Amino acid sequence: MFMRFFTELRQARVPVTLKEYLMLMEGLDKGVIDRSVDDFYYLSRSALVKDEKNLDKFDQVFGHVFKGLERMDEGIAADIPAEWLKKISEKFLTEEEKAQIEAMGGFDKLMEALAERIKEQKERHEGGNKMIGTGGTSPFGANGYHPEGIRIGQDKGRHGKAIKVWDKREYKNLDDQVELGTRNIKVALRRLRKWVRDGAADELDMPGTIKGTAEKGYLDIQMRPERRNKISVLIFFDIGGSMDSHIKVCEELFSAARSEFKNMEFYYFHNCLYEAVWKDNRRRHAEKIPTWDVLHKFPHDYKVIFVGDATMSPYEITYPGGSVEHWNEEAGAVWMDRVAQIYEHMVWLNPTAERHWDYTPSIGVIKQLVNDRMYPLTIEGLEKAMKELAR
């Protein structure tokens, strides 16, 4: 059973090694956990999963290998330790319900009855109070109610009374290919950090205090500045047009970046960067900010991030007057090149799926202008972009 678990994790592309598997077996051999499915789940997850992006895959494999109740036979039913059910019952059943179970013959009778029902049943059953199925008041199956219930082949319980819940998945959104949520973006953005201590000394320096007290023979309290992320970020958001379908993910990125980077500035543009940007989309025609002013204001050590789908006519990038909103004296490519000359660390985040990039010529042009530092707006893409900016 454990070897099957290991091989199926490998087949699901969870990078587990033989050394980690043997470590898990050693832990079981030494009895570091009780005979509990929950305890084994957490132990195996700690031993075998090195990156949180693989937690969802691990949960799926674990549920498939160790749930197995939809194919349960008499032999498997006999192998489930009664102690597990009795321990879990203390969490999920009331005293009255436990008394009812004991009056019916206890957990041993419950598991014997389950094996008998499986042998009797040959087809799906819904409702009723005897057979295994959905609904009804039988102790076995899904979506029903019975104080001594066992849930079979169902993602979640309706009444919260099932004794065994082997297939709970707590990390459904951590695969590195899924689109982002605010929490996931924060995790990825934290890869771009440079800690320094500056400002007012308002934090207790415990090691310094201990050392100073030991040297001087009396209490010598020392303070130090709080540790802060020194990274400064300048973000340009493409807004309007084809970007309307990506508003949600851009809002999530903006919210996460605001939280993670204390020194962050942002501006909006449309399709391609030209001679002016803006801060408020409602007043973008009346309150534009010259791009030169932005480039002169922020020093070269800022990390620059462009967020846009880069989907437009190539003429909007390569020719004067290419903008669809106004007459631009200089091509957008000229302005992109100026940004690249000033800021060494610059990336472009594209919310369009990477598999579609080759079908849009303008994406290829922008990608070339940013020296191939264009990344998809997924967790994996964002992590690669932060790694590039941190170089």
Side-chain angles (χ1 to χ4, degrees):
M1 176 178 63
F2 293 126
M3 197 63 205
R4 176 191 168 203
F5 181 40
F6 176 72
T7 56
E8 291 206 15
L9 284 172
R10 295 292 296 269
Q11 291 171 3
R13 297 186 178 181
V14 178
V16 294
T17 65
L18 184 58
K19 180 179 179 181
E20 293 160 348
Y21 174 73
L22 293 176
M23 180 176 66
L24 174 62
M25 294 300 100
E26 182 181 0
L28 292 175
D29 184 57
K30 293 184 177 181
V32 298
I33 60 171
D34 295 329
R35 296 180 65 183
S36 160
V37 177
D38 287 344
D39 287 353
F40 176 71
Y41 167 75
Y42 289 113
L43 175 66
S44 59
R45 193 179 75 175
S46 300
L48 302 178
V49 181
K50 299 182 289 291
D51 193 319
E52 64 181 3
K53 70 182 181 183
N54 295 311
L55 286 171
D56 184 47
K57 296 176 184 176
F58 175 86
D59 285 355
Q60 293 182 62
V61 173
F62 189 95
H64 172 67
V65 173
F66 293 102
K67 180 174 64 176
L69 292 179
E70 58 268 57
R71 297 184 300 277
M72 182 183 252
D73 58 22
E74 184 176 4
I76 297 177
D79 288 338
I80 300 177
E83 304 90 62
W84 290 5
L85 297 177
K86 291 177 181 177
K87 287 182 179 179
I88 297 175
S89 71
E90 296 176 359
K91 300 180 181 179
F92 291 97
L93 301 181
T94 65
E95 292 299 325
E96 180 182 355
E97 290 169 341
K98 284 188 282 188
Q100 291 178 19
I101 292 174
E102 292 301 325
M104 295 174 189
F107 284 99
D108 292 337
K109 292 293 184 182
L110 174 65
M111 298 309 296
E112 289 176 10
L114 171 61
E116 289 298 322
R117 298 285 169 83
I118 290 174
K119 290 171 64 178
E120 294 175 16
Q121 184 168 335
K122 302 299 182 183
E123 60 186 14
R124 177 181 173 88
H125 182 78
E126 295 186 8
N129 62 2
K130 178 183 178 183
M131 302 305 291
I132 299 168
T134 57
T137 59
S138 167
F140 317 109
N143 294 335
Y145 179 83
H146 195 285
E148 50 177 341
I150 292 179
R151 178 160 59 81
I152 297 177
Q154 174 193 348
D155 288 338
K156 60 182 180 179
R158 177 173 295 179
H159 302 290
K161 298 294 184 181
I163 293 176
K164 292 200 300 294
V165 185
W166 291 9
D167 53 352
K168 181 181 179 182
R169 291 167 57 194
E170 298 177 348
Y171 297 91
K172 295 184 180 180
N173 63 338
L174 292 178
D175 192 299
D176 63 6
Q177 298 299 321
V178 301
E179 289 194 358
L180 301 173
T182 303
R183 176 186 176 278
N184 300 352
I185 296 174
K186 289 181 179 180
V187 172
L189 292 179
R190 285 169 190 165
R191 296 182 180 273
L192 183 59
R193 284 180 170 179
K194 183 179 180 181
W195 296 111
V196 297
R197 294 189 181 276
D198 57 8
D202 53 6
E203 178 182 281
L204 176 64
D205 182 0
M206 183 61 71
T209 299
I210 294 173
K211 182 179 179 181
T213 301
E215 290 176 348
K216 298 178 181 179
Y218 57 86
L219 182 60
D220 181 24
I221 297 178
Q222 297 188 19
M223 306 295 289
R224 64 185 178 185
E226 182 183 356
R227 194 174 69 154
R228 305 175 188 275
N229 185 8
K230 194 179 180 181
I231 294 296
S232 299
V233 177
L234 179 59
I235 304 182
F236 294 94
F237 286 96
D238 183 5
I239 198 75
S242 58
M243 283 297 294
D244 287 347
S245 58
H246 305 296
I247 288 177
K248 182 176 183 295
V249 70
C250 289
E251 287 178 339
E252 291 172 344
L253 175 63
F254 179 73
S255 175
R258 276 281 204 183
S259 173
E260 291 300 317
F261 302 118
K262 302 305 179 185
N263 193 14
M264 187 197 85
E265 293 290 339
F266 70 94
Y267 296 91
Y268 297 108
F269 68 98
H270 180 61
N271 283 355
C272 188
L273 186 68
Y274 298 115
E275 70 278 0
V277 291
W278 55 93
K279 297 279 287 185
D280 187 344
N281 285 298
R282 293 169 297 182
R283 301 182 59 80
R284 67 187 184 94
H285 294 294
E287 298 180 358
K288 287 189 174 182
I289 303 168
T291 304
W292 269 127
D293 289 355
V294 176
L295 301 185
H296 288 151
K297 180 177 181 180
F298 302 105
H300 69 280
D301 61 344
Y302 267 68
K303 313 292 186 179
V304 177
I305 302 173
F306 284 91
V307 182
D309 60 6
T311 301
M312 67 198 92
S313 167
Y315 293 101
E316 294 182 57
I317 307 171
T318 57
Y319 283 85
S323 171
V324 296
E325 292 193 324
H326 70 289
W327 177 267
N328 53 296
E329 297 291 340
E330 295 179 295
V334 173
W335 286 102
M336 291 298 301
D337 182 65
R338 286 171 177 159
V339 176
Q341 294 297 324
I342 296 173
Y343 301 99
E344 179 183 359
H345 302 288
M346 177 179 70
V347 298
W348 187 293
L349 299 176
N350 195 328
T352 302
E354 190 172 7
R355 63 181 179 274
H356 300 310
W357 290 2
D358 292 340
Y359 301 102
T360 306
S362 61
I363 293 181
V365 176
I366 291 293
K367 189 176 179 182
Q368 186 176 15
L369 289 171
V370 296
N371 298 318
D372 288 329
R373 289 176 289 186
M374 179 180 286
Y375 302 92
L377 200 46
T378 61
I379 296 177
E380 182 182 30
L382 191 52
E383 287 179 345
K384 288 181 178 179
M386 296 304 102
K387 184 177 179 180
E388 172 63 33
L389 291 176
R391 290 173 57 183

